[in-house]
Amino acid sequence: MKIGDRVRFLNSVGGGIVKKFQGKEIVYVEEDDGFETPVLIRECVVIESGEMQVKSASKAAAQAVEIKKNVPEKKVVEGEITEIPGKEKLNVYLAFLPMDIKTLGKCNYELFLINDSNYVLFLNYMNRKNNAWNSRFRSIIEPNTRLFVEEFAKEDLNDLEKICVQFIAYKEGKPFMLKNAQTVEISIDGVKFYKLHSFHENDFFEDEALIYPVVVNDVPEREMLVSAADIQDAMNRKVRIERPVKQFSQRKEQLPAIVEIDLHINQLLDNVSGLGNTEMLNIQLNKFHETMEQYKNKKGQKIVFIHGKGEGVLRNALLNELKSKYKNCSFQDASFREYGFGATMVTIR
């Protein structure tokens, strides 16, 4: 494959002229609408070389008049969309695939967006960093296709903890049922990218993938925007529920049992090969924050984080996080009889 060749996409409708290459994996293809689309080289097949196109240009020009006289005019629609019965509801997914699942934790990952519907999607894909959103990818996605979005390294996972997908759904050249514009925020668990069992067989790829639903049967997984009416209704419901509790509750709620969280890295990951100390510490701290966020509103809850004695790096990191981000909690060394010197107990206040 070289610049100037005409190619066809293997796993989606369309194709065009090769304009440039990015590394050894990506090729930019100029489609008939003039837009350059990044595509995996292995997802393309050459149907006409650039040299053949140049040689045939003069011949085609010479025969143009004769063809026009002898052949009736016929409009040809390239890449005409064929709809699939039962696909009138929006089903949109994000799919993450390791480029080499045998070296999970070391290899790069590919991100695809799957449009499992009869609608065209006008898409904007973003990530949140420093309390602001950054657009990473924009494109039009044809019905019932999957589209390569980006390739990223394991070092980029921290930037992808919060991502957002915006899109408008429509059909071209035919009437359709109106769909709401969607803005869906998704939280990505970076720990899953290091666990083999996070990647499963699926209906969209031959390889195992980590699938995140965006919209299922027209229902968004998690909309970012909440209307004022919904907020007011939630506040009214809270008042109606809390009043009887304040007036009639006669006994204190029984405190829940102690929650134990083992932060040893071999309890969190199946395979730690290739990971440095900093990466492993970040994974352990992510598990700590996940647990604290889960129980932060449960007053009286006691949580024991088992971190081991070692050199005290993880313990000191936990204490710093508790002092700076969870000032409403108290903490102390957990019971020596039960946990030895390698555990810290946190109490939610």
Side-chain angles (χ1 to χ4, degrees), residues 65-105:
V65 176
E66 182 181 353
I67 292 175
K68 189 172 181 180
K69 290 180 180 178
N70 299 326
V71 179
E73 184 176 353
K74 180 180 179 181
K75 183 177 181 181
V76 177
V77 180
E78 183 176 353
E80 185 174 0
I81 297 172
T82 302
E83 295 190 347
I84 300 176
K87 298 286 187 177
E88 290 305 306
K89 289 188 176 182
L90 295 178
N91 285 279
V92 181
Y93 307 89
L94 289 175
F96 296 89
L97 286 81
M99 298 190 69
D100 185 2
I101 201 167
K102 295 180 180 179
T103 59
L104 195 63

Side-chain angles (χ1 to χ4, degrees), residues 44-161:
C44 302
V45 59
V46 177
I47 58 176
E48 185 177 0
S49 70
E51 296 177 356
M52 291 175 60
Q53 294 182 54
V54 173
K55 291 179 181 179
S56 61
S58 58
K59 183 178 179 180
Q63 295 177 346
V65 176
E66 182 181 353
I67 292 175
K68 189 172 181 180
K69 290 180 180 178
N70 299 326
V71 179
E73 184 176 353
K74 180 180 179 181
K75 183 177 181 181
V76 177
V77 180
E78 183 176 353
E80 185 174 0
I81 297 172
T82 302
E83 295 190 347
I84 300 176
K87 298 286 187 177
E88 290 305 306
K89 289 188 176 182
L90 295 178
N91 285 279
V92 181
Y93 307 89
L94 289 175
F96 296 89
L97 286 81
M99 298 190 69
D100 185 2
I101 201 167
K102 295 180 180 179
T103 59
L104 195 63
K106 297 180 181 179
C107 66
N108 287 3
Y109 298 88
E110 294 176 330
L111 171 59
F112 290 81
L113 192 132
I114 300 164
N115 177 14
D116 191 21
S117 74
N118 288 332
Y119 282 76
V120 180
L121 302 183
F122 184 66
L123 170 83
N124 182 25
Y125 164 73
M126 302 168 286
N127 75 306
R128 189 171 70 187
K129 188 176 182 181
N130 298 327
N131 296 321
W133 290 98
N134 303 299
S135 181
R136 298 174 67 94
F137 180 80
R138 299 164 302 282
S139 182
I140 294 176
I141 305 179
E142 298 294 334
N144 302 298
T145 59
R146 64 188 189 193
L147 182 67
F148 174 77
V149 175
E150 64 176 351
E151 176 186 337
F152 60 90
K154 62 178 182 179
E155 293 81 8
D156 301 321
L157 281 172
N158 290 335
D159 293 335
L160 299 178
E161 288 183 352

